[in-house]
């Protein structure tokens, strides 16, 4: 069980970075500074998301928490899919500003609920 705090800290750090990097990209886009889309900057969120997912899988192994058994986790996984879809729309430059802003709001709302599910584990 000595791995648990390590995986959990990595997962939590990657989770907060995910939120920070998403908000930073939204702000840069809003100010007409799409420089983050060029490599290597554009790969940083992807690298962080890989760490987030790998640490999530590691946590499943060491804790015994399981999606579709523990429903806070099921909701988290479903919202993660929703967050990814909304996030893709929010970042799509071809879409109009109102559509992108609505998508960003939906993505951020889902992210908030993911954090709540992780911390409160209400069911
Ligand atoms: C955007 C995606 C995600 C975010 C923002 C996120 C966030 C968090 C946070 C903040 C915690 C720590 C909660 C606490 O204070 O105790 C946590 C724990 C955890 N997360 Fe995630 N997570 C995400 C995705 C996932 C996924 C996809 C899975 C697995 C399918 C997962 C599985 C877990 C597990 C098993 C724990 C440990 C619960 C415990 O032992 O207390 N997470 N997550």
């Amino acid at each position: 069980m000595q791995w648990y705090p390590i995986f959990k800290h990595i997962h939590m750090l990657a989770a907060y970075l995910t939120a920070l990097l998403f908000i930073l990209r939204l702000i840069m886009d809003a100010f007409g500074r799409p420089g983050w889309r060029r490599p290597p900057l554009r790969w940083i969120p992807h690298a962080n998301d890989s760490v987030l997912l790998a640490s999530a899988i590691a946590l499943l192994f060491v804790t015994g928490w399981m999606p579709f058994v523990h429903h806070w986790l099921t909701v988290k996984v479903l919202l993660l899919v929703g967050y990814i879809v909304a996030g893709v729309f929010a970042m799509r430059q071809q879409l109009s500003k109102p559509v992108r802003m609505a998508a960003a709001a939906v993505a951020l709302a889902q992210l908030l609920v993911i954090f709540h599910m992780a911390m409160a584990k209400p069911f």
Side-chain angles (χ1 to χ4, degrees):
M1 211 54 175
Q2 79 271 30
W3 289 106
Y4 172 66
I6 298 171
F7 292 147
K8 187 153 171 178
H9 278 105
I10 293 173
H11 185 68
M12 287 173 70
L13 180 66
Y16 289 115
L17 270 178
T18 289
L20 181 72
L21 290 170
F22 182 60
I23 292 168
L24 270 179
R25 282 176 290 168
L26 290 177
I27 292 174
M28 288 179 80
D29 273 359
F31 283 96
R33 307 285 294 272
W36 65 267
R37 293 171 186 279
R38 282 191 296 273
L41 281 188
R42 68 173 300 170
W43 299 115
I44 293 174
H46 296 306
N48 184 60
D49 289 346
S50 305
V51 172
L52 181 71
L53 226 55
S55 57
I57 291 164
L59 276 171
L60 296 186
F61 277 103
V62 298
T63 60
W65 290 115
M66 279 193 4
F68 305 105
V69 175
H70 304 105
H71 295 306
W72 66 272
L73 206 47
T74 314
V75 173
K76 226 175 130 177
V77 172
L78 294 178
L79 285 173
L80 177 65
V81 176
Y83 164 69
I84 293 169
V85 173
V88 165
F89 279 93
M91 298 291 160
R92 196 159 280 173
Q93 287 172 303
Q94 303 91 311
L95 295 176
S96 69
K97 213 168 182 175
V99 170
R100 290 181 62 188
M101 280 173 69
V106 171
L108 286 172
Q110 291 183 101
L111 204 53
L112 268 181
V113 183
I114 291 176
F115 273 99
H116 174 68
M117 288 296 145
M119 291 178 199
K121 304 179 186 64
F123 33 72

